[in-house]
Amino acid sequence: PAKDIILPDDIKNHPNSTELKILYKYHIRGLNNIIKNNKSGFYPNLPITRAEFALILEDIISKVKKEKAFKRKYFGNKSPFVDVKNNSFYFNAIMNAVSYGFLKPNKYSQFRPNDPLSGIVLIEAIIKVKEELSL
């Protein structure tokens, strides 16, 4: 028997609940239950930040390629970004996203982890991920 997944309330009654349930069941890092303003939820209507998207990409790639070490590849390295510390929980994900060319820093060596992800950057990254994974 399949184990029931306990869904956050903001997924249960969402207009896209069918699709969100599919995403949620894969436990993708960056798309998991988060806490904002002391309230737990999935927050499907909020923009995704660049750091969250880097976490999502890293988790998907490591799961598809079955490479657990991928998530630790850059531990201990110096950060090339003025706005990302090497001990940030998203540092390795950002380094992977940049090294694969999925996301880019600006000309001032800023990654801008808390900026919302733009639609065009999302589409470009998805195309590159598809090529990388040969899908």
Side-chain angles (χ1 to χ4, degrees), residues 11-22 44-45:
I11 289 179
K12 291 176 188 173
N13 300 316
H14 194 276
N16 300 101
S17 64
T18 302
E19 293 84 0
L20 291 170
K21 287 175 188 175
I22 293 168
N45 294 329

Side-chain angles (χ1 to χ4, degrees), residues 27-87:
H27 303 287
I28 297 172
R29 189 171 178 216
L31 285 179
N32 46 359
N33 204 19
I34 55 175
I35 297 174
K36 290 191 186 238
N37 300 324
N38 294 323
K39 189 174 179 186
S40 178
F42 190 66
Y43 298 97
N45 294 329
L46 292 181
I48 292 176
T49 67
R50 292 169 50 83
E52 288 168 336
F53 189 60
L55 288 167
I56 292 164
L57 292 173
E58 181 182 69
D59 199 48
I60 290 170
I61 291 169
S62 69
K63 285 178 179 176
V64 171
K65 288 189 166 192
K66 296 179 172 113
E67 293 181 22
K68 291 183 181 180
F70 186 70
K71 292 183 179 182
R72 297 184 304 276
K73 184 176 180 180
Y74 293 98
F75 281 6
N77 287 12
K78 183 179 177 189
S79 177
F81 311 110
V82 297
D83 56 349
V84 177
K85 294 181 180 180
N86 69 343
N87 63 352

Side-chain angles (χ1 to χ4, degrees), residues 113-126:
N114 297 316
D115 283 3
L117 187 72
S118 72
I120 190 67
V121 171
L122 173 70
I123 291 167
E124 289 172 345
I126 289 172

